[in-house]
Structures are given as C-alpha cells and as structure tokens.
Amino acid sequence: EMVALPRPGGAGPEVTLGEGRQAPYERRAFVLRNVTLESYQRERDNDYHLVVRDGADTMVVEIPHPGCVDAPSPWRPQVTDARRRFAEHFHRRSHGEGLREVISVAGVGFFDRVHEMEGGAPNGIELHPVTGLCFGRGCALPGDGPPTSNVPGLAPEYDD
C-alpha cells in the first residue's frame, strides 16, 4: 500500500522534496510487518540501506548512523536501538547471509528522489529513519503492546 501513496504536493519523481517533512506521509510513522529482507548494505554515509519485499513490491528502509540524527531528536534513541539490533543480528554473518529473512520494521515515511536504486519504490517512498526492527515472523517490535488495530493516531500497519 505504501508504494501506491501519492508524492506530496504532486512533486514529480525527479524532484527531491524541500527541507522539512511534508504532510501527511512524511510526518507519519509506519509499520511493515512480516516483510522479507531482500538485501542490505552499509552506505558511504554509514547508513544501513535495506531493501524489503512484500509480494511483488519492494521499497527501501534506512537505518541512519545515530551521529547523523540530531541530539534533540525524539527518534535518536529509537534509531540507535534499531541500529544496534541490526548490527548485532548480522555481526558475524557474510554479506548475503540472512537474506530472505522475515523481519518487521517501523519508521517514518520519507519521499526520496526516484532514481535507479535497487529495490526503490516507484513513488520514492522509504522508511527513513527506521525507528524499530525485529527479526522473525510475528516478532515483537520495541514498544509493541497488545494488538490495538484501528485506534486513531496509531501508525498504519501493513502486513503480508
């Protein structure tokens, strides 16, 4: 469902959106449950770039380096925890090991410029930053409580 969201303000795919987050989707948290990790890499800026798949659709989720998240940001502790979880899980694995693993991920919507990026969504939507991550079908994300679907104000959840 996220790959079908419209880009804010009708911005074309080649446009990188301006400073600040654009309402409504870049100011909203999303949860992707039980998606498949297709690939990951550590980028030059030290972000972890993950491609996740749900059926035929793929999109990018990024775990930034905590040093790139402003200290007063309310997301910094969550980003730091997601980064730690990811690094610990893949610490002693070869680059391809762990692919096709089922994960759940939470994060904030972000429309990147649409470019020739492996696994990028056609509309450029990403979760950036990732604020929660867990491994395995039905895993519990940090902060998960009892199911609370359809409660106003909660993050939209997308499940395979």
Short mmCIF file of all heavy atoms in Angstrom, two decimals, residues 16-65:
data_model
loop_
_atom_site.label_atom_id
_atom_site.label_comp_id
_atom_site.label_asym_id
_atom_site.label_seq_id
_atom_site.Cartn_x
_atom_site.Cartn_y
_atom_site.Cartn_z
N THR A 16 13.56 16.18 -5.62
CA THR A 16 13.84 15.92 -4.21
C THR A 16 13.06 16.95 -3.44
O THR A 16 13.17 18.15 -3.70
CB THR A 16 15.34 16.06 -3.92
OG1 THR A 16 16.04 15.11 -4.72
CG2 THR A 16 15.63 15.80 -2.45
N LEU A 17 12.24 16.51 -2.50
CA LEU A 17 11.40 17.43 -1.76
C LEU A 17 12.26 18.34 -0.90
O LEU A 17 13.37 17.99 -0.51
CB LEU A 17 10.39 16.65 -0.92
CG LEU A 17 9.46 15.77 -1.77
CD1 LEU A 17 8.57 14.92 -0.87
CD2 LEU A 17 8.61 16.60 -2.70
N GLY A 18 11.74 19.50 -0.58
CA GLY A 18 12.49 20.52 0.14
C GLY A 18 12.79 20.17 1.59
O GLY A 18 12.51 19.06 2.05
N GLU A 19 13.35 21.14 2.28
CA GLU A 19 13.67 20.97 3.70
C GLU A 19 12.41 20.72 4.49
O GLU A 19 11.35 21.23 4.18
CB GLU A 19 14.37 22.22 4.21
CG GLU A 19 15.76 22.43 3.66
CD GLU A 19 16.73 21.35 4.09
OE1 GLU A 19 16.72 20.97 5.27
OE2 GLU A 19 17.47 20.87 3.23
N GLY A 20 12.54 19.97 5.55
CA GLY A 20 11.39 19.69 6.41
C GLY A 20 10.55 18.56 5.86
O GLY A 20 10.60 18.24 4.68
N ARG A 21 9.80 17.97 6.72
CA ARG A 21 8.96 16.84 6.33
C ARG A 21 7.63 17.35 5.80
O ARG A 21 7.04 18.27 6.34
CB ARG A 21 8.77 15.93 7.53
CG ARG A 21 10.11 15.34 7.96
CD ARG A 21 9.95 13.93 8.39
NE ARG A 21 11.26 13.33 8.56
CZ ARG A 21 11.60 12.18 8.00
NH1 ARG A 21 10.76 11.51 7.27
NH2 ARG A 21 12.79 11.69 8.21
N GLN A 22 7.17 16.71 4.72
CA GLN A 22 5.94 17.11 4.06
C GLN A 22 4.76 16.29 4.60
O GLN A 22 4.84 15.06 4.68
CB GLN A 22 6.06 16.86 2.55
CG GLN A 22 7.26 17.51 1.91
CD GLN A 22 7.17 19.01 1.91
OE1 GLN A 22 6.14 19.56 1.51
NE2 GLN A 22 8.21 19.68 2.35
N ALA A 23 3.68 16.98 4.95
CA ALA A 23 2.47 16.30 5.41
C ALA A 23 1.78 15.67 4.20
O ALA A 23 1.92 16.16 3.09
CB ALA A 23 1.54 17.30 6.10
N PRO A 24 1.05 14.59 4.34
CA PRO A 24 0.86 13.88 5.60
C PRO A 24 1.83 12.72 5.81
O PRO A 24 2.10 12.34 6.93
CB PRO A 24 -0.57 13.34 5.47
CG PRO A 24 -0.72 13.04 4.01
CD PRO A 24 0.10 14.13 3.31
N TYR A 25 2.39 12.16 4.73
CA TYR A 25 3.09 10.88 4.85
C TYR A 25 4.48 10.97 5.45
O TYR A 25 4.98 10.02 6.02
CB TYR A 25 3.13 10.15 3.51
CG TYR A 25 1.76 9.94 2.93
CD1 TYR A 25 1.37 10.55 1.75
CD2 TYR A 25 0.83 9.16 3.61
CE1 TYR A 25 0.10 10.38 1.25
CE2 TYR A 25 -0.45 8.99 3.12
CZ TYR A 25 -0.80 9.61 1.93
OH TYR A 25 -2.07 9.43 1.46
N GLU A 26 5.14 12.11 5.32
CA GLU A 26 6.47 12.26 5.90
C GLU A 26 6.40 12.68 7.37
O GLU A 26 7.43 12.87 8.00
CB GLU A 26 7.31 13.25 5.10
CG GLU A 26 7.71 12.72 3.74
CD GLU A 26 8.70 13.61 3.04
OE1 GLU A 26 8.71 14.84 3.27
OE2 GLU A 26 9.48 13.08 2.25
N ARG A 27 5.21 12.83 7.86
CA ARG A 27 5.02 13.16 9.28
C ARG A 27 4.27 12.05 9.98
O ARG A 27 3.63 12.27 11.00
CB ARG A 27 4.25 14.48 9.41
CG ARG A 27 5.04 15.64 8.89
CD ARG A 27 4.28 16.91 8.99
NE ARG A 27 5.09 17.98 8.45
CZ ARG A 27 5.08 19.20 8.92
NH1 ARG A 27 4.32 19.51 9.94
NH2 ARG A 27 5.82 20.11 8.38
N ARG A 28 4.37 10.86 9.42
CA ARG A 28 3.64 9.72 9.95
C ARG A 28 4.59 8.53 10.09
O ARG A 28 5.46 8.31 9.26
CB ARG A 28 2.53 9.36 8.96
CG ARG A 28 1.68 8.19 9.40
CD ARG A 28 0.58 7.88 8.43
NE ARG A 28 -0.38 8.96 8.42
CZ ARG A 28 -1.32 9.09 7.50
NH1 ARG A 28 -1.41 8.23 6.52
NH2 ARG A 28 -2.16 10.09 7.54
N ALA A 29 4.38 7.79 11.17
CA ALA A 29 5.12 6.55 11.36
C ALA A 29 4.35 5.41 10.69
O ALA A 29 3.12 5.43 10.65
CB ALA A 29 5.29 6.26 12.84
N PHE A 30 5.08 4.47 10.16
CA PHE A 30 4.51 3.30 9.51
C PHE A 30 5.13 2.05 10.10
O PHE A 30 6.27 2.09 10.56
CB PHE A 30 4.78 3.32 8.00
CG PHE A 30 4.11 4.43 7.26
CD1 PHE A 30 4.73 5.66 7.12
CD2 PHE A 30 2.85 4.26 6.70
CE1 PHE A 30 4.12 6.70 6.43
CE2 PHE A 30 2.24 5.28 6.02
CZ PHE A 30 2.86 6.51 5.88
N VAL A 31 4.41 0.96 10.05
CA VAL A 31 4.93 -0.33 10.48
C VAL A 31 4.72 -1.32 9.35
O VAL A 31 3.61 -1.44 8.82
CB VAL A 31 4.21 -0.83 11.76
CG1 VAL A 31 4.70 -2.23 12.12
CG2 VAL A 31 4.44 0.12 12.92
N LEU A 32 5.79 -1.98 8.96
CA LEU A 32 5.73 -3.05 7.97
C LEU A 32 5.96 -4.35 8.72
O LEU A 32 7.05 -4.57 9.25
CB LEU A 32 6.81 -2.86 6.90
CG LEU A 32 6.81 -1.54 6.15
CD1 LEU A 32 8.01 -1.46 5.22
CD2 LEU A 32 5.52 -1.37 5.37
N ARG A 33 4.96 -5.19 8.76
CA ARG A 33 5.07 -6.46 9.49
C ARG A 33 5.28 -7.61 8.51
O ARG A 33 4.64 -7.68 7.47
CB ARG A 33 3.82 -6.72 10.30
CG ARG A 33 3.64 -5.69 11.39
CD ARG A 33 3.17 -6.33 12.67
NE ARG A 33 2.91 -5.31 13.67
CZ ARG A 33 3.66 -5.11 14.72
NH1 ARG A 33 4.71 -5.87 14.95
NH2 ARG A 33 3.37 -4.16 15.58
N ASN A 34 6.20 -8.49 8.89
CA ASN A 34 6.43 -9.73 8.15
C ASN A 34 6.75 -9.49 6.68
O ASN A 34 6.15 -10.09 5.80
CB ASN A 34 5.21 -10.66 8.30
CG ASN A 34 4.94 -10.99 9.75
OD1 ASN A 34 5.87 -11.19 10.54
ND2 ASN A 34 3.67 -11.01 10.12
N VAL A 35 7.73 -8.62 6.44
CA VAL A 35 8.25 -8.41 5.09
C VAL A 35 9.56 -9.17 4.97
O VAL A 35 10.17 -9.55 5.97
CB VAL A 35 8.45 -6.90 4.79
CG1 VAL A 35 7.10 -6.19 4.76
CG2 VAL A 35 9.39 -6.24 5.78
N THR A 36 10.00 -9.39 3.75
CA THR A 36 11.21 -10.16 3.51
C THR A 36 12.38 -9.22 3.24
O THR A 36 12.28 -8.31 2.42
CB THR A 36 11.01 -11.09 2.29
OG1 THR A 36 9.90 -11.94 2.55
CG2 THR A 36 12.25 -11.94 2.03
N LEU A 37 13.47 -9.45 3.96
CA LEU A 37 14.69 -8.69 3.73
C LEU A 37 15.36 -9.24 2.48
O LEU A 37 15.80 -10.38 2.44
CB LEU A 37 15.63 -8.82 4.94
CG LEU A 37 16.98 -8.13 4.82
CD1 LEU A 37 16.83 -6.62 4.65
CD2 LEU A 37 17.84 -8.45 6.03
N GLU A 38 15.40 -8.42 1.42
CA GLU A 38 15.97 -8.84 0.14
C GLU A 38 17.47 -8.59 0.07
O GLU A 38 18.21 -9.39 -0.47
CB GLU A 38 15.29 -8.08 -1.01
CG GLU A 38 13.86 -8.50 -1.24
CD GLU A 38 13.77 -9.87 -1.89
OE1 GLU A 38 14.45 -10.12 -2.90
OE2 GLU A 38 13.01 -10.70 -1.36
N SER A 39 17.89 -7.43 0.55
CA SER A 39 19.32 -7.10 0.51
C SER A 39 19.59 -5.99 1.52
O SER A 39 18.67 -5.32 1.99
CB SER A 39 19.75 -6.64 -0.89
OG SER A 39 19.12 -5.42 -1.24
N TYR A 40 20.85 -5.83 1.84
CA TYR A 40 21.26 -4.73 2.70
C TYR A 40 22.70 -4.37 2.38
O TYR A 40 23.46 -5.19 1.87
CB TYR A 40 21.10 -5.07 4.19
CG TYR A 40 22.00 -6.18 4.69
CD1 TYR A 40 23.27 -5.90 5.20
CD2 TYR A 40 21.59 -7.50 4.65
CE1 TYR A 40 24.09 -6.92 5.65
CE2 TYR A 40 22.40 -8.52 5.11
CZ TYR A 40 23.65 -8.22 5.61
OH TYR A 40 24.46 -9.23 6.06
N GLN A 41 23.03 -3.13 2.66
CA GLN A 41 24.41 -2.68 2.50
C GLN A 41 24.64 -1.49 3.41
O GLN A 41 23.71 -0.78 3.77
CB GLN A 41 24.72 -2.31 1.06
CG GLN A 41 23.96 -1.10 0.56
CD GLN A 41 24.27 -0.81 -0.90
OE1 GLN A 41 24.76 -1.65 -1.63
NE2 GLN A 41 23.99 0.40 -1.33
N ARG A 42 25.89 -1.32 3.76
CA ARG A 42 26.28 -0.14 4.53
C ARG A 42 26.75 0.88 3.51
O ARG A 42 27.66 0.61 2.72
CB ARG A 42 27.38 -0.49 5.51
CG ARG A 42 27.65 0.57 6.51
CD ARG A 42 28.63 0.06 7.52
NE ARG A 42 28.78 1.02 8.59
CZ ARG A 42 29.39 0.74 9.71
NH1 ARG A 42 29.92 -0.45 9.91
NH2 ARG A 42 29.49 1.65 10.65
N GLU A 43 26.13 2.05 3.52
CA GLU A 43 26.44 3.07 2.54
C GLU A 43 27.62 3.93 2.98
O GLU A 43 28.07 3.85 4.12
CB GLU A 43 25.21 3.94 2.29
CG GLU A 43 24.06 3.14 1.70
CD GLU A 43 22.88 4.00 1.34
OE1 GLU A 43 22.50 4.87 2.15
OE2 GLU A 43 22.34 3.79 0.25
N ARG A 44 28.10 4.77 2.07
CA ARG A 44 29.24 5.63 2.38
C ARG A 44 29.00 6.54 3.57
O ARG A 44 29.91 6.89 4.29
CB ARG A 44 29.61 6.48 1.16
CG ARG A 44 30.43 5.70 0.15
CD ARG A 44 30.85 6.59 -0.97
NE ARG A 44 30.25 6.00 -2.16
CZ ARG A 44 30.00 6.61 -3.27
NH1 ARG A 44 30.27 7.88 -3.40
NH2 ARG A 44 29.48 5.97 -4.28
N ASP A 45 27.73 6.94 3.76
CA ASP A 45 27.40 7.81 4.90
C ASP A 45 27.16 7.01 6.18
O ASP A 45 26.73 7.54 7.18
CB ASP A 45 26.20 8.69 4.58
CG ASP A 45 24.92 7.91 4.31
OD1 ASP A 45 24.94 6.65 4.38
OD2 ASP A 45 23.90 8.55 4.03
N ASN A 46 27.43 5.70 6.12
CA ASN A 46 27.28 4.75 7.23
C ASN A 46 25.84 4.39 7.57
O ASN A 46 25.60 3.73 8.57
CB ASN A 46 28.04 5.21 8.48
CG ASN A 46 29.52 5.01 8.33
OD1 ASN A 46 29.95 3.98 7.82
ND2 ASN A 46 30.30 5.98 8.74
N ASP A 47 24.88 4.83 6.76
CA ASP A 47 23.51 4.36 6.93
C ASP A 47 23.45 2.91 6.47
O ASP A 47 24.19 2.51 5.57
CB ASP A 47 22.53 5.16 6.06
CG ASP A 47 22.25 6.55 6.57
OD1 ASP A 47 22.83 6.94 7.60
OD2 ASP A 47 21.46 7.25 5.92
N TYR A 48 22.58 2.13 7.10
CA TYR A 48 22.26 0.80 6.58
C TYR A 48 21.07 0.95 5.64
O TYR A 48 20.03 1.46 6.02
CB TYR A 48 21.92 -0.18 7.70
CG TYR A 48 23.11 -0.66 8.48
CD1 TYR A 48 23.20 -0.43 9.84
CD2 TYR A 48 24.14 -1.37 7.87
CE1 TYR A 48 24.28 -0.88 10.58
CE2 TYR A 48 25.23 -1.82 8.59
CZ TYR A 48 25.29 -1.57 9.94
OH TYR A 48 26.37 -2.01 10.66
N HIS A 49 21.27 0.52 4.42
CA HIS A 49 20.27 0.60 3.35
C HIS A 49 19.71 -0.81 3.17
O HIS A 49 20.45 -1.72 2.78
CB HIS A 49 20.98 1.09 2.08
CG HIS A 49 20.16 1.11 0.85
ND1 HIS A 49 19.71 2.27 0.29
CD2 HIS A 49 19.73 0.11 0.06
CE1 HIS A 49 19.04 1.98 -0.81
NE2 HIS A 49 19.04 0.67 -0.97
N LEU A 50 18.44 -1.01 3.50
CA LEU A 50 17.81 -2.32 3.39
C LEU A 50 16.73 -2.27 2.32
O LEU A 50 16.01 -1.26 2.21
CB LEU A 50 17.13 -2.72 4.71
CG LEU A 50 17.98 -3.10 5.91
CD1 LEU A 50 18.85 -1.98 6.40
CD2 LEU A 50 17.08 -3.58 7.03
N VAL A 51 16.62 -3.32 1.55
CA VAL A 51 15.51 -3.47 0.61
C VAL A 51 14.61 -4.56 1.16
O VAL A 51 15.08 -5.67 1.46
CB VAL A 51 16.00 -3.84 -0.81
CG1 VAL A 51 14.82 -4.12 -1.74
CG2 VAL A 51 16.88 -2.73 -1.38
N VAL A 52 13.33 -4.22 1.33
CA VAL A 52 12.36 -5.19 1.83
C VAL A 52 11.31 -5.45 0.76
O VAL A 52 11.04 -4.60 -0.09
CB VAL A 52 11.69 -4.72 3.15
CG1 VAL A 52 12.74 -4.61 4.26
CG2 VAL A 52 10.94 -3.41 2.97
N ARG A 53 10.74 -6.63 0.81
CA ARG A 53 9.75 -7.06 -0.18
C ARG A 53 8.50 -7.53 0.53
O ARG A 53 8.56 -8.24 1.53
CB ARG A 53 10.31 -8.19 -1.04
CG ARG A 53 9.30 -8.80 -2.01
CD ARG A 53 9.88 -9.92 -2.86
NE ARG A 53 10.97 -9.45 -3.69
CZ ARG A 53 10.84 -8.78 -4.85
NH1 ARG A 53 9.64 -8.50 -5.30
NH2 ARG A 53 11.89 -8.41 -5.53
N ASP A 54 7.36 -7.17 -0.07
CA ASP A 54 6.06 -7.68 0.34
C ASP A 54 5.35 -8.08 -0.94
O ASP A 54 4.90 -7.21 -1.70
CB ASP A 54 5.27 -6.60 1.09
CG ASP A 54 3.93 -7.11 1.58
OD1 ASP A 54 3.76 -8.33 1.70
OD2 ASP A 54 3.05 -6.28 1.86
N GLY A 55 5.34 -9.36 -1.24
CA GLY A 55 4.78 -9.81 -2.52
C GLY A 55 5.66 -9.34 -3.65
O GLY A 55 6.88 -9.52 -3.64
N ALA A 56 5.06 -8.64 -4.62
CA ALA A 56 5.81 -8.15 -5.77
C ALA A 56 6.45 -6.79 -5.52
O ALA A 56 7.29 -6.35 -6.29
CB ALA A 56 4.89 -8.07 -6.98
N ASP A 57 6.05 -6.12 -4.45
CA ASP A 57 6.51 -4.76 -4.19
C ASP A 57 7.75 -4.74 -3.31
O ASP A 57 7.86 -5.49 -2.35
CB ASP A 57 5.41 -3.95 -3.50
CG ASP A 57 4.20 -3.77 -4.39
OD1 ASP A 57 4.38 -3.43 -5.57
OD2 ASP A 57 3.08 -3.98 -3.89
N THR A 58 8.67 -3.83 -3.64
CA THR A 58 9.86 -3.61 -2.82
C THR A 58 9.95 -2.13 -2.47
O THR A 58 9.38 -1.28 -3.15
CB THR A 58 11.16 -4.01 -3.56
OG1 THR A 58 11.28 -3.23 -4.75
CG2 THR A 58 11.18 -5.49 -3.89
N MET A 59 10.64 -1.87 -1.38
CA MET A 59 10.94 -0.50 -1.01
C MET A 59 12.19 -0.49 -0.14
O MET A 59 12.63 -1.52 0.35
CB MET A 59 9.76 0.18 -0.31
CG MET A 59 9.41 -0.36 1.04
SD MET A 59 7.99 0.49 1.80
CE MET A 59 8.74 2.00 2.35
N VAL A 60 12.73 0.70 0.05
CA VAL A 60 13.94 0.89 0.83
C VAL A 60 13.56 1.35 2.23
O VAL A 60 12.64 2.14 2.41
CB VAL A 60 14.84 1.94 0.16
CG1 VAL A 60 15.99 2.36 1.05
CG2 VAL A 60 15.36 1.41 -1.18
N VAL A 61 14.28 0.81 3.20
CA VAL A 61 14.21 1.32 4.57
C VAL A 61 15.64 1.60 4.99
O VAL A 61 16.55 0.85 4.64
CB VAL A 61 13.48 0.35 5.54
CG1 VAL A 61 12.07 0.08 5.07
CG2 VAL A 61 14.22 -0.94 5.72
N GLU A 62 15.86 2.73 5.67
CA GLU A 62 17.22 3.12 6.03
C GLU A 62 17.35 3.32 7.53
O GLU A 62 16.53 3.98 8.15
CB GLU A 62 17.63 4.41 5.31
CG GLU A 62 17.72 4.19 3.82
CD GLU A 62 18.89 4.89 3.18
OE1 GLU A 62 19.87 5.23 3.87
OE2 GLU A 62 18.83 5.07 1.96
N ILE A 63 18.42 2.73 8.05
CA ILE A 63 18.77 2.93 9.46
C ILE A 63 19.97 3.87 9.46
O ILE A 63 21.09 3.46 9.14
CB ILE A 63 19.14 1.61 10.15
CG1 ILE A 63 18.08 0.54 9.91
CG2 ILE A 63 19.35 1.85 11.64
CD1 ILE A 63 18.51 -0.85 10.38
N PRO A 64 19.76 5.14 9.80
CA PRO A 64 20.88 6.07 9.76
C PRO A 64 21.88 5.82 10.87
O PRO A 64 21.57 5.19 11.88
CB PRO A 64 20.22 7.44 9.94
CG PRO A 64 18.86 7.19 10.46
CD PRO A 64 18.50 5.77 10.18
N HIS A 65 23.07 6.33 10.66
CA HIS A 65 24.06 6.33 11.72
C HIS A 65 23.53 7.28 12.79
O HIS A 65 23.12 8.41 12.47
CB HIS A 65 25.41 6.80 11.19
CG HIS A 65 26.50 6.67 12.20
ND1 HIS A 65 26.66 7.57 13.22
CD2 HIS A 65 27.45 5.73 12.36
CE1 HIS A 65 27.68 7.21 13.96
NE2 HIS A 65 28.18 6.09 13.47
#
